[in-house]
Amino acid sequence: MMKVIVTGTYEEMSLTAAEAVRERVLSSPRCVLGLATGSTPLGMYAKLIEMYQRGEVSFKDIRSVNLDEYYPISPSARCSYRYYMDTNFFNHIDIDKANTHFPDAENEDSEKASTEYEKLISSLGKIELQILGIGRNGHIGFNEPGSFLYPLTHMARLSESTVRANSRFFSSPADVPRFSLTMGMKTILSASGIILLASGKEKREAVRRTLSSVIDTSCPSTLLCLHDDVTLIVTRDALE
Ligand code: PGA
């Protein structure tokens, strides 16, 4: 059964998630963290930066792998997920950036980039804790709803609803990249522990389906019920 922690506010959700990450890093200072982008984890990253500044945690020996990246994109582009992670987290803590990893979104061969990312993740060892957000349509990473899903890292086309949702980060929907490189569901489910964050009433339907214990590729987050250690940290407004 998925563990569910209901919080009253976004602030409380962010603190609860940050505390869980801090605990993991304190008990395993060289661990591999799987990290996510989007609006939802921003508060968690801010709390972790505060904890680092207070001397409560260090990321010196932590390795990280991000869930996904737009494709193709330059890491220096302001809308890349590399740029997001640098500006919202990595630049403010003591992590060694050489230990922070993303799919290679500049590689013209998307299949090669995908295979290499899988190899890289395996070479680092197990992802000990994977942070996830959830799309309004139940997507996880860029594993979008459909009649089938891919197990491993692959190039994925963004659904129209994701393009619309992500257009808030761009000047217009036309500027949103249509493709990404994303970990597949098996890559994600191979993590030892998973924290799924959800906040806001627009996530209600996706959260409801995630908790329904019915596996359905039309809502990729439902596959998380196959994992034994998933904690959903959710604000009350994202529950029915
Ligand atoms: P959001 O995105 O946190 O910006 O809502 C979540 C997701 O698409 O996975």
Side-chain angles (χ1 to χ4, degrees), residues 99-119:
N99 290 334
T100 62
H101 304 283
F102 294 76
D104 179 5
E106 287 186 306
N107 190 332
E108 283 173 19
D109 184 341
S110 62
E111 273 186 36
K112 190 150 181 265
S114 302
T115 315
E116 280 172 2
Y117 201 53
E118 284 292 326
K119 276 199 205 137

Side-chain angles (χ1 to χ4, degrees), residues 36-42 67-68 81 84 132-142 162 165-166 168-169 197 199 202-203:
T37 52
S39 305
T40 313
L42 282 172
L67 256 187
D68 48 19
Y81 286 163
Y84 167 111
L132 297 176
I134 185 171
R136 297 158 203 221
N137 61 5
H139 74 204
I140 293 291
F142 279 115
T162 301
N166 290 12
R168 67 193 193 279
F169 300 112
L197 301 175
S199 171
E202 64 280 6
K203 300 291 172 73

Side-chain angles (χ1 to χ4, degrees), residues 21-33:
V21 174
R22 180 182 58 190
E23 289 323 302
R24 182 71 62 144
V25 170
L26 290 176
S27 65
S28 187
R30 275 184 48 74
C31 74
V32 179
L33 294 178

Side-chain angles (χ1 to χ4, degrees), residues 19-62:
E19 284 170 345
V21 174
R22 180 182 58 190
E23 289 323 302
R24 182 71 62 144
V25 170
L26 290 176
S27 65
S28 187
R30 275 184 48 74
C31 74
V32 179
L33 294 178
L35 299 176
T37 52
S39 305
T40 313
L42 282 172
M44 178 193 77
Y45 292 132
K47 296 282 178 205
L48 285 168
I49 292 168
E50 287 170 24
M51 290 171 180
Y52 164 72
Q53 287 168 343
R54 290 196 298 264
E56 294 169 13
V57 65
S58 164
F59 299 89
K60 191 166 62 68
D61 297 317
I62 291 296

Side-chain angles (χ1 to χ4, degrees), residues 214-232:
V214 174
I215 296 169
D216 187 339
T217 59
S218 73
C219 183
S221 58
T222 58
L223 271 81
L224 294 174
C225 76
L226 293 168
H227 196 283
D228 283 333
D229 185 7
V230 181
T231 304
L232 168 66

